[in-house]
Amino acid sequence: MNREIIQGLLIPFLGTSIGASFVLFMRKPLSQTSQRMLTGFAAGIMVAASFWSLLQPALAQAKTVWPVAIGFLLGIGFLLLLDVVIPHTHMDDQEEGPHTSLNKSTKLLLAVTLHNLPEGMAVGVVYAGWLSNSAIGQAGAFALAMGIAIQNVPEGAIVSMPLKAAGMSRWKTFLAGVGSGAVEPVGALLTIWLSAWIVPLMPSFLAFAAGAMLYVVVEELIPEMSEGAHSNWGTICFALGFVLMMCLE
């Protein structure tokens, strides 16, 4: 595996680690407005990445729209299934999945890991596409990795604070945040290793990753950035994140 791919797989993980490190020196929890702004920014990047990095090359490669449409719906369905079968707690303390005796910190960590999974899949599938000499170029694959890394920084910060509030120490919270981001390079590596099977179905896999990412945006990020009293800050930062990712592409 060449250096460019290794860098591309580790950049998003580095973003999560940097964001998680904020808990080591931040004395107070993020305000609701700050959380809205950061969540909106992350959502904007993920939506733009889903369109320009995943769906656009998928449609360019597919002979008909059906492989893309089916892959997109399967990506939505896959994350919906994980959302139902994995016990987890969102940042607004809403619990989902089967009832278990797991503590709140563990459920929060599972929610973050569930969130990071489609991002790792997306990076892996675009690098698999680049290796297969498909419509995805190295610059496009790197742009997606960089975009996800940028949105992982505020995301890592947002996630660390509830873990600390749930009773974890600063260093344990930092390590938990870093560990939750490890699912991204691991998922990306698995996707690349399966590239021999993925390449013939590349349009569907690209759309699958897009559907999984958009599920996270619609199910988690948009409700979180709109929670509470009316504010335009989340929407403004959504637009900024969207435009930033669009420019990277």
Side-chain angles (χ1 to χ4, degrees):
M1 187 176 294
N2 61 39
R3 185 179 65 181
E4 289 80 6
I5 293 178
I6 294 174
Q7 289 176 343
L9 300 190
L10 291 179
I11 285 174
F13 175 62
L14 178 62
T16 302
S17 300
I18 292 172
S21 71
F22 289 3
V23 75
L24 298 177
F25 53 85
M26 291 182 69
R27 299 298 178 184
K28 295 181 179 180
L30 289 168
S31 67
Q32 186 181 59
T33 300
S34 297
Q35 290 190 41
R36 283 179 173 178
M37 293 171 67
L38 295 176
T39 302
F41 183 77
I45 287 181
M46 291 180 70
V47 170
S50 297
F51 280 100
W52 276 284
S53 299
L54 300 170
L55 289 176
Q56 187 177 55
L59 290 168
Q61 294 179 53
K63 295 180 179 179
T64 69
V65 73
W66 294 112
V68 178
I70 292 171
F72 182 84
L73 293 175
L74 288 175
I76 294 281
F78 177 66
L79 260 292
L80 177 60
L81 175 64
L82 293 182
D83 216 10
V84 171
V85 301
I86 296 177
H88 58 283
T89 300
H90 294 287
M91 285 181 285
D92 60 359
D93 291 334
Q94 180 180 353
E95 295 194 3
E96 293 187 356
H99 177 73
T100 67
S101 59
L102 296 175
N103 59 37
K104 182 180 177 180
S105 297
T106 302
K107 290 182 179 180
L108 280 168
L109 195 58
L110 285 172
V112 178
T113 304
L114 184 63
H115 185 160
N116 288 336
L117 179 61
E119 297 170 9
M121 293 166 51
V123 173
V125 76
V126 294
Y127 272 98
W130 171 47
L131 288 174
S132 68
N133 298 315
S134 65
I136 301 171
Q138 180 184 355
F142 182 78
L144 175 64
M146 182 59 70
I148 289 178
I150 291 171
Q151 69 96 18
N152 277 352
V153 175
E155 186 177 275
I158 293 172
V159 164
S160 298
M161 294 305 167
L163 289 173
K164 184 176 180 299
M168 294 179 68
S169 68
R170 289 183 185 274
W171 278 104
K172 284 185 177 180
T173 301
F174 168 68
L175 293 175
V178 171
S180 70
V183 71
E184 294 188 16
V186 171
L189 277 173
L190 289 174
T191 306
I192 291 175
W193 284 335
L194 294 172
S195 61
W197 292 274
I198 289 174
V199 169
L201 299 172
M202 183 59 68
S204 296
F205 275 95
L206 288 167
F208 181 95
M213 286 180 66
L214 287 179
Y215 177 88
V216 171
V217 172
V218 176
E219 174 72 10
E220 298 181 22
L221 299 186
I222 290 178
E224 286 169 8
M225 78 181 216
S226 305
E227 184 184 6
H230 176 71
S231 172
N232 293 325
W233 284 112
T235 305
I236 292 170
C237 290
F238 176 95
L240 293 175
F242 188 94
V243 170
L244 174 62
M245 190 65 209
M246 183 174 64
C247 292
L248 284 175
E249 285 294 330

